[in-house]
Amino acid sequence: MTEEHKKGLWFAYIASFLTPFTLLLSGIIAIIYAGYKLDKGTDEITYSHYYTIIRSFFLFLTFFVVLGVSAATTTGMIAGAEYWVHSDILQTVLHVLPFIGGAIAIIAIVVWFAKIINGMRLLSQNQAVKL
């Protein structure tokens, strides 16, 4: 792996790590950069890292879209049922549901950070990520 590839991978990893803080902007830049570098042709180690960055971004983007749609749909259904039934249980569920979604999102972000940190660790050891 050349020094140029290593610097590019560090850039992509750092941009990917900052994705939750930049409202996806740095993650989009990271995957565009990674895709560009993959198109140029690289060695196996570099390929595995760029591919992992792209794959993890889309995996977690899909997860958060599904989580958001599920939370919105569930909240709407419970609010509609609570409108007609007037139940204390439904009212409690309606107030607790955002905290459950937030907890799931925080766990997913921690897992994402762990994957990025693991990739950075493997990069510093000059090892490929297992695909």
Side-chain angles (χ1 to χ4, degrees):
M1 173 185 314
T2 66
E3 192 62 33
E4 179 186 345
H5 285 154
K6 207 167 209 176
K7 286 180 182 179
L9 281 167
W10 279 111
F11 167 76
Y13 271 122
I14 291 169
S16 186
F17 188 84
L18 295 174
T19 299
F21 307 112
T22 61
L23 303 175
L24 297 177
L25 183 62
S26 67
I28 292 169
I29 292 169
I31 62 167
I32 290 171
Y33 181 79
Y36 172 75
K37 288 296 190 176
L38 276 177
D39 192 42
K40 293 283 190 183
T42 60
D43 58 84
E44 192 63 35
I45 294 172
T46 307
Y47 175 85
S48 72
H49 284 280
Y50 280 133
Y51 181 77
T52 300
I53 290 168
I54 294 169
R55 184 178 62 180
S56 66
F57 176 83
F58 282 112
L59 174 71
F60 284 102
L61 177 66
T62 303
F63 172 78
F64 282 110
V65 168
V66 170
L67 178 65
V69 169
S70 299
T73 303
T74 305
T75 302
M77 289 172 39
I78 292 173
E82 203 277 326
Y83 175 79
W84 292 104
V85 177
H86 300 296
S87 168
D88 290 335
I89 295 172
L90 290 177
Q91 187 68 27
T92 303
V93 169
L94 194 59
H95 289 297
V96 171
L97 196 59
F99 296 107
I100 294 171
I104 292 170
I106 288 172
I107 291 169
I109 290 171
V110 167
V111 169
W112 186 359
F113 285 158
K115 285 182 178 268
I116 297 297
I117 290 169
N118 183 46
M120 290 177 171
R121 183 182 54 78
L122 290 173
L123 178 61
S124 68
Q125 296 171 356
N126 207 21
Q127 295 178 351
V129 177
K130 292 181 183 175
L131 301 176

